[in-house]
Amino acid sequence: FFLLGVFCILFLHLLLCLLTSLRKGPVWPETTYILGQQNNHAPSPLAKSYGNIFTMWAGPIPVIVLSGFQAVGDGLITKAEDLADRPETPFFNAFANGKGIILSNGRTWKQQRRFGLSTLRKLGVGKKSMEHQIEEEVRLLVETFAKEKGQPLDPAFPIVNAVANVISVAAFGHRFSTDDEVFHQLVESVRYILNFAGTTSHMLYELFPWLMRYLPGPHKKTLACRDFIYSFVRKEIKNHEAAGTLDDPRDFIDFYLAKMEKVRDSTSTFDEDNMVHDIFDLFLAGSDTTTTTLQWALLYMVNHPDIQEKVQKELDNVLGSSQLIFYEDRKKLPYTNAVIHEIQRFSNIILIGVPRQTVKDTVVLGFPIEKGIAVLPDLCSVLRDPEQWETPQQLNPNHFLDKDGNFVTREAFMPFGEGHRMCLGEQLARTELFLFFTTLLRAFSFRLPEGVKEISTNPVVGASVHPEPYQICAVPR
Ligand code: HEM
């Protein structure tokens, strides 16, 4: 009876939306409904049917989808100012309460984002000091792989440990060992939260928050996972306060506590809740994304041994085997750099994109969009836009090489988004991807386990797109 009731209400809602959309959607009749995530990695299946700008109804919430390089570019770059907000939906509000960086808006977002960026720089991002810290994590990862002596291994957990440790040292001032129970729970919590995004349960919460608030289900577990990460961060803050290291700040918490000391007026957004959520955001966004990209990278190298060999040859010829690798070396390694870009383009880990909301009335590609409307820039449709890429559906490093083999950047390469809310960790992520990828490929040849013909590239879709668990052999070179 309960389920029947829920479905009746749902049906009435959809009917209502259909009627409302007749007068409200800017691109009616190109409109569709979603309830629950699409389990589809194909490029912009919706755009194929609906064009490069259309309205999608998530229950009663209209979402304007921008599809393809032209529409996403016009929205995120040309109209950067107008599309700078995130939607304030019932679940986002329950989850972040307007705090932190990823889901905040207005003054809070401006101040926390600016502080986040400048603190990451103070902690070494963009400088040699951060590269050394990343190199230390890669060295330990190489040791972990080497212990298996070329036998099949699942690289997922060692990689997430190494990547999350880079952000942990920056945020908390310490790393976690692979067998740390708290670390396992943090990683599981991050994954659970990311997998919840876009599910039916998420959509039901957006539609019926007054009901879902009282019902058990995945939405409750998602909030519990958030609370677990929150309480870990709060404990870390207490330890920092007790240690009294503000005069000589070494990590994000130290810098934030010092800032709170300095800015004591009542209108300041620098408070403990924003600090907790900032760190939560950095940990969430900074661990899963780079990890997932590296998981795809190794999988592609195993499935494309010709590309792997070419990268290794270039690394051997240009760097030799002994010297340390620095991010600057990418300029001497055009093929390797092109392969890393192509891995990011093709793996397309932020399947659709992170939603935005209009700050004021605006016009995108000639269509008027009212203030306060959610806009989804479909990044996948840009990274696989057939008008921008020669072979959008194939892993092809030539997308980033000219005819003489020089590296070329491409305007439609937007895995980090664009505009005012573009990824805050882009510089860190690029440095990590380069140092992890090159060091691993110099140390090992990655191969299929005996008897295995190919590893599945089927995606598992959540807020990010990751591969199914797989095993490969890391054969020392
Ligand atoms: C391969 C790695 C990564 C990818 C593909 C990626 C991608 C993205 C994308 C697509 C967005 C949304 C941008 C938009 O709305 O236009 C984003 C936002 C964000 N990313 Fe990343 N990211 C990566 C790594 C990182 C890392 C390492 C950090 C942390 C240091 C980070 C922190 C953030 C934050 C805080 C935001 C929210 C920015 C805001 O709303 O102002 N990301 N990222």
Side-chain angles (χ1 to χ4, degrees):
F1 274 116
F2 168 73
L3 275 179
L4 198 66
V6 168
F7 279 114
C8 283
I9 297 173
L10 254 174
F11 181 71
L12 285 174
H13 250 282
L14 292 178
L15 202 66
L16 206 70
C17 295
L18 185 67
L19 294 174
T20 340
S21 64
L22 278 166
R23 56 183 176 76
K24 208 176 165 197
V27 286
W28 169 259
E30 286 150 350
T31 186
T32 185
Y33 304 103
I34 52 163
L35 190 66
Q37 71 203 9
Q38 280 183 266
N39 201 4
N40 195 336
H41 201 220
S44 38
L46 293 173
K48 262 197 195 140
S49 341
Y50 298 100
N52 55 4
I53 174 163
F54 56 92
T55 316
M56 188 162 74
W57 289 88
I61 309 165
V63 182
I64 308 290
V65 182
L66 308 179
S67 187
F69 175 66
Q70 206 198 354
V72 173
D74 194 44
L76 295 192
I77 303 170
T78 320
K79 302 288 160 46
E81 192 74 45
D82 303 356
L83 265 67
D85 271 358
R86 296 271 185 229
E88 290 171 24
T89 69
F91 187 76
F92 285 177
N93 286 342
F95 190 79
N97 195 22
K99 302 282 179 187
I101 303 170
I102 301 180
L103 294 176
S104 65
N105 281 330
R107 219 162 86 87
T108 302
W109 167 70
K110 261 198 190 111
Q111 292 191 349
Q112 302 303 315
R113 180 174 167 109
R114 196 177 306 142
F115 179 81
L117 270 171
S118 72
T119 306
L120 283 183
R121 264 195 298 273
K122 284 181 197 151
L123 290 168
V125 173
K127 301 183 199 139
K128 286 267 158 41
S129 53
M130 181 54 80
E131 293 196 39
H132 288 309
Q133 196 198 309
I134 297 170
E135 267 151 16
E136 176 59 10
E137 291 302 332
V138 194
R139 190 184 63 76
L140 294 167
L141 184 63
V142 167
E143 271 179 21
T144 307
F145 282 179
K147 273 190 204 136
E148 301 303 321
K149 298 196 163 61
Q151 292 306 304
L153 61 90
D154 179 347
F157 198 77
I159 293 179
V160 74
N161 182 254
V163 170
N165 272 336
V166 174
I167 203 76
S168 300
V169 171
F172 314 119
H174 67 79
R175 62 189 305 284
F176 297 92
S177 70
T178 32
D179 48 17
D180 188 319
E181 194 42 47
V182 174
F183 179 70
H184 278 258
Q185 283 182 46
L186 287 172
V187 169
E188 272 165 33
S189 301
V190 166
R191 184 129 295 287
Y192 195 89
I193 292 168
L194 290 175
N195 284 343
F196 176 74
T199 56
T200 306
S201 173
H202 177 193
M203 288 300 145
L204 286 174
Y205 197 106
E206 301 295 15
L207 290 173
F208 314 110
W210 40 269
L211 177 67
M212 295 299 278
R213 226 170 270 143
Y214 300 102
L215 295 180
H219 56 291
K220 287 276 183 193
K221 188 162 175 206
T222 303
L223 295 172
C225 287
R226 173 206 63 181
D227 290 342
F228 176 77
I229 303 177
Y230 271 5
S231 70
F232 173 78
V233 176
R234 284 192 200 281
K235 249 185 249 154
E236 289 286 335
I237 295 171
K238 288 267 162 326
N239 293 344
H240 280 66
E241 282 170 336
T245 48
L246 299 198
D247 295 338
D248 177 23
R250 294 155 307 158
D251 53 41
F252 193 89
I253 295 180
D254 280 343
F255 277 107
Y256 206 104
L257 288 170
K259 181 83 178 174
M260 277 166 67
E261 276 285 309
K262 220 166 103 194
V263 197
R264 277 180 169 271
D265 70 282
S266 57
T267 59
S268 161
T269 68
F270 292 98
D271 54 32
E272 190 171 309
D273 285 349
N274 271 316
M275 164 163 46
V276 171
H277 209 90
D278 282 1
I279 295 171
F280 174 93
D281 283 350
L282 293 178
F283 193 78
L284 187 105
S287 55
D288 183 76
T289 45
T290 312
T291 299
T292 307
T293 312
L294 285 168
Q295 279 175 260
W296 282 115
L298 297 189
L299 194 162
Y300 293 149
M301 289 306 101
V302 170
N303 282 354
H304 298 268
D306 49 326
I307 298 181
Q308 177 172 200
E309 251 168 57
K310 260 179 110 169
V311 170
Q312 287 171 326
K313 237 185 222 143
E314 188 181 59
L315 291 172
D316 293 347
N317 289 344
V318 177
L319 300 178
S321 59
S322 59
Q323 91 199 56
L324 270 182
I325 306 177
F326 291 103
Y327 185 49
E328 227 174 66
D329 292 331
R330 73 193 184 284
K331 294 174 191 155
K332 297 185 277 182
L333 299 161
Y335 186 76
T336 306
N337 200 15
V339 170
I340 295 172
H341 279 72
E342 180 64 358
I343 287 166
Q344 272 205 278
R345 182 196 72 81
F346 194 61
S347 63
N348 165 38
I349 61 155
I350 312 281
L351 179 59
I352 304 186
V354 187
R356 301 288 190 91
Q357 185 171 284
T358 44
V359 178
K360 53 180 178 200
D361 289 357
T362 187
V363 177
V364 176
L365 276 194
F367 287 106
I369 306 177
E370 286 169 36
K371 174 183 173 187
I373 298 284
V375 177
L376 195 60
D378 179 355
L379 294 182
C380 169
S381 69
V382 183
L383 295 175
R384 299 209 180 171
D385 187 335
E387 286 175 16
Q388 297 293 322
W389 307 98
E390 293 70 36
T391 59
Q393 303 300 342
Q394 264 171 35
L395 185 79
N396 173 7
N398 289 334
H399 283 140
F400 295 92
L401 294 168
D402 68 13
K403 59 177 177 13
D404 301 319
N406 300 310
F407 177 80
V408 282
T409 49
R410 301 286 300 260
E411 265 187 312
F413 179 71
M414 285 187 194
F416 298 102
E418 272 294 345
H420 291 355
R421 304 225 45 154
M422 187 175 181
C423 177
L424 178 136
E426 180 192 3
Q427 172 83 2
L428 177 61
R430 281 174 177 268
T431 315
E432 286 178 328
L433 289 177
F434 182 78
L435 294 180
F436 273 90
F437 185 73
T438 50
T439 311
L440 287 175
L441 259 72
R442 214 158 62 144
F444 305 103
S445 286
F446 292 93
R447 305 248 184 274
L448 290 168
E450 236 180 77
V452 179
K453 290 231 163 52
E454 205 189 45
I455 302 178
S456 158
T457 51
N458 286 343
V460 181
V461 181
S464 67
V465 181
H466 49 98
E468 289 170 357
Y470 64 82
Q471 295 232 320
I472 50 172
C473 302
V475 181
R477 294 184 68 215

